[in-house]
Amino acid sequence: MNVKIELINGYFKTNICLDKTIIDESFKTFMSRHISYRKNFLQTEYNYAFDGYSYMGQKNSTNQYAHDSLHSFVVSDFQAVKNYPIEFHPFLNTYWNKLTSIVKAVEHNLLHKMLVQSEIIQFHEKNVGHMMSLNFYPIVKKENTKRLSIHKDVSLISIFPFGISRELFIIDENGNEIKIPATKNLIAFPGFLIELLSKGRIKALQHYVNYDESINQERYSYVIFSIPKPYTNLPIININSENYFKKYLSLF
């Protein structure tokens, strides 16, 4: 794969453009179901990391705050396809493996570009899997200035495989809030895991989704996170994957 990567204000933009048709169809069909059906697939129904459904206003989600204005569903390498809603089966059975293979190749390039330690590269090759957060932001009344609160991601690297629409902002190392232009190109940035493994040399990029009344439209976004496989020991910081997730959630 001939990947071209450009560093812009702390995030990476590539020359890769991928088709999101099948994931759009799967997620939008799921979101069209009644809330009583969707609640059959809450995070409490799954047994690792962040898999499952989170809804706007939910107080016990590990994927978003109750005041965040979105619904999300997380799928991952760590569940059998049959455990997910049937709406996602076409995507998971036909495209998931291809998509994560592309993502892992991009991550490999990025890790070399960031000059990380050999232990991190080896960890990525052997002990990292992927989860994907599918996010739906409905039209809402203006309640605050953010649709998704400022946060760092749980990932080694966060990948937006289909690019982004408007309203995503990042906070640079000087505290400046910068709007990322809409793009269909794959973009990426470092998460909290690489910050820990690099002992702070590489900072996780803080980001949020803004509320803009002038463009208050439905918004869909898809982001893939590289996270430790179950029961995996993390190099350098000497904790396992389960304790890593606890450490990450302590940020909130």
Side-chain angles (χ1 to χ4, degrees):
M1 182 187 302
N2 183 21
V3 182
K4 295 180 181 178
I5 299 173
E6 181 182 9
L7 177 61
I8 308 171
N9 294 322
Y11 75 94
F12 298 95
K13 183 178 180 180
T14 76
N15 61 329
I16 298 173
C17 291
L18 300 174
D19 184 5
K20 65 176 182 176
T21 302
I22 191 167
I23 186 59
D24 257 348
E25 291 174 351
S26 293
F27 187 40
K28 289 178 181 179
T29 301
F30 175 77
M31 287 305 304
S32 72
R33 305 302 189 207
H34 192 272
I35 185 70
S36 61
Y37 170 79
R38 286 181 261 143
K39 285 185 176 181
N40 290 322
F41 304 97
L42 294 174
Q43 291 174 318
T44 51
E45 300 300 313
Y46 297 89
N47 57 13
Y48 187 69
F50 300 85
D51 285 20
Y53 174 57
S54 298
Y55 57 90
M56 195 164 66
Q58 183 180 347
K59 295 182 179 179
N60 63 343
S61 168
T62 57
N63 203 43
Q64 62 197 55
Y65 288 111
H67 58 264
D68 288 334
S69 301
L70 78 158
H71 300 258
S72 63
F73 199 102
V74 174
V75 298
S76 76
D77 289 331
F78 315 116
Q79 300 287 336
V81 172
K82 66 180 181 180
N83 293 337
Y84 292 116
I86 195 169
E87 292 82 5
F88 294 108
H89 291 190
F91 163 64
L92 293 170
N93 284 323
T94 65
Y95 195 38
W96 174 253
N97 288 338
K98 177 182 177 181
L99 180 60
T100 53
S101 293
I102 293 170
V103 163
K104 193 156 188 176
V106 172
E107 291 166 348
H108 182 78
N109 279 319
L110 288 172
L111 290 173
H112 282 279
K113 192 175 184 70
M114 288 187 278
L115 303 175
V116 300
Q117 305 101 302
S118 60
E119 295 98 321
I120 297 177
I121 292 175
Q122 292 168 7
F123 172 72
H124 174 259
E125 290 174 351
K126 297 178 180 179
N127 298 114
V128 161
H130 292 90
M131 72 179 196
M132 183 176 191
S133 183
L134 300 80
N135 307 312
F136 169 61
Y137 298 82
I139 296 173
V140 293
K141 294 181 180 179
K142 185 174 182 180
E143 297 172 352
N144 53 49
T145 58
K146 295 179 176 63
R147 286 176 138 177
L148 180 63
S149 305
I150 296 171
H151 66 285
K152 300 176 180 180
D153 284 339
V154 67
S155 53
L156 191 71
I157 298 172
S158 296
I159 302 278
F160 292 76
F162 314 115
I164 56 159
S165 57
R166 298 172 292 183
E167 300 175 289
L168 181 64
F169 283 72
I170 60 174
I171 301 175
D172 71 12
E173 59 185 13
N174 297 315
N176 300 310
E177 299 184 10
I178 301 170
K179 183 177 183 179
I180 301 182
T183 180
K184 293 183 179 179
N185 293 54
L186 182 153
I187 68 167
F189 49 71
F192 184 61
L193 181 53
I194 202 168
E195 180 174 315
L196 288 185
L197 295 181
S198 69
K199 295 191 174 179
R201 184 179 70 83
I202 301 169
K203 302 293 186 184
L205 194 64
Q206 294 192 87
H207 57 288
Y208 65 92
V209 176
N210 192 43
Y211 176 94
D212 187 335
E213 190 171 18
S214 67
I215 53 172
N216 186 17
Q217 304 168 350
E218 290 185 348
R219 181 181 189 275
Y220 290 86
S221 70
Y222 307 105
V223 55
I224 295 180
F225 304 102
S226 42
I227 61 173
K229 293 178 180 177
Y231 311 111
T232 296
N233 290 320
L234 280 63
I236 303 167
I237 55 176
N238 296 317
I239 60 175
N240 64 22
S241 49
E242 286 70 19
N243 286 328
Y244 166 67
F245 292 131
K246 291 177 182 178
K247 187 175 183 69
Y248 171 74
L249 291 173
S250 72
L251 298 176
F252 301 93

